[in-house]
Structure formats: C-alpha cells, structure tokens
Amino acid sequence: MSKRVAVIDLGSNSARMAIFERTSRLGFFILREYKVKARLGEGAYEKGGVLQESAMSNVLNAFREFKYFLSIYKVSKVLCTGTSALRDAPNSNLFINRIRREL
C-alpha cells in the first residue's frame, strides 16, 4: 500500500486536515479533507494572547475527530502547523504538550 500522510493546519478560527496518498516519488492524490471550526483564537487577543480553556478544549475535540479519521485511513505520518494565535501565545507550549499527552 502507498504511504499516507496527513497535514493539519490549525488556524485562529478553524482546523483543517487533508489526507494524501503517495502514488509515486513526486505524485500524490488527496483522499479526504476535513474542516472544523475550532476557534483557537477566541478570547485570546483580549487577554494578552493567552489561549483560553474553552478554545483549547474546542481544538482538542477537533483533533480527537481528526485522530479517528487518521486511524480509519491508516495514516503513517502527520504534519501539523499552527497560526500566530498558537505560535505567539504565552501558553502555547503548555497547550502543545497537552495535545501530545491526551492524544
């Protein structure tokens, strides 16, 4: 079977995931795409960029949903990137570690 890879883009308002299957050294096709309104940035800008608990919970729920589809499609590698709401947040490392621990 071809290698399958997922790419997750965590934005301020939504989380997107695309699952790809490699068909050759440089070729691939998209098996599935998902988009969930996670609202990671909600309330953060008013509080010095600190990610709020409700927003982090929304993202965790979205990632749990993504994890389910990763197992169905037997994805072998996941790449994830985050927007400035995540990168610039003073508590971003705590949240990233929480994602790793819980998922």
Side-chain angles (χ1 to χ4, degrees):
M1 178 162 50
S2 299
K3 183 177 180 179
R4 293 184 176 175
V5 176
V7 177
I8 297 172
D9 174 30
L10 178 57
S12 297
N13 289 308
S14 63
R16 298 170 184 251
M17 180 176 70
I19 299 174
F20 302 90
E21 185 168 60
R22 190 174 183 180
T23 57
S24 66
R25 184 171 156 249
L26 299 174
F28 64 90
F29 67 91
I30 297 174
L31 292 171
R32 192 71 193 257
E33 292 181 275
Y34 301 94
K35 181 179 176 183
V36 178
K37 287 191 179 196
R39 303 208 182 277
L40 178 63
E42 189 170 56
Y45 296 111
E46 296 85 11
K47 304 211 175 174
V50 175
L51 300 174
Q52 301 302 297
E53 181 58 39
S54 62
M56 291 187 288
S57 293
N58 289 341
V59 171
L60 278 168
N61 289 333
F63 279 16
R64 282 186 187 99
E65 191 174 322
F66 288 172
K67 185 178 177 182
Y68 170 76
F69 291 110
L70 293 171
S71 66
I72 287 176
Y73 284 93
K74 298 178 181 165
V75 172
S76 59
K77 186 173 188 175
V78 179
L79 305 169
C80 189
T81 184
T83 190
S84 65
L86 177 65
R87 292 190 316 266
D88 298 339
N91 59 340
S92 64
N93 284 338
L94 294 172
F95 182 52
I96 291 168
N97 289 332
R98 181 176 170 189
I99 290 171
R100 287 182 177 140
R101 187 176 58 250
E102 292 186 28
L103 300 175

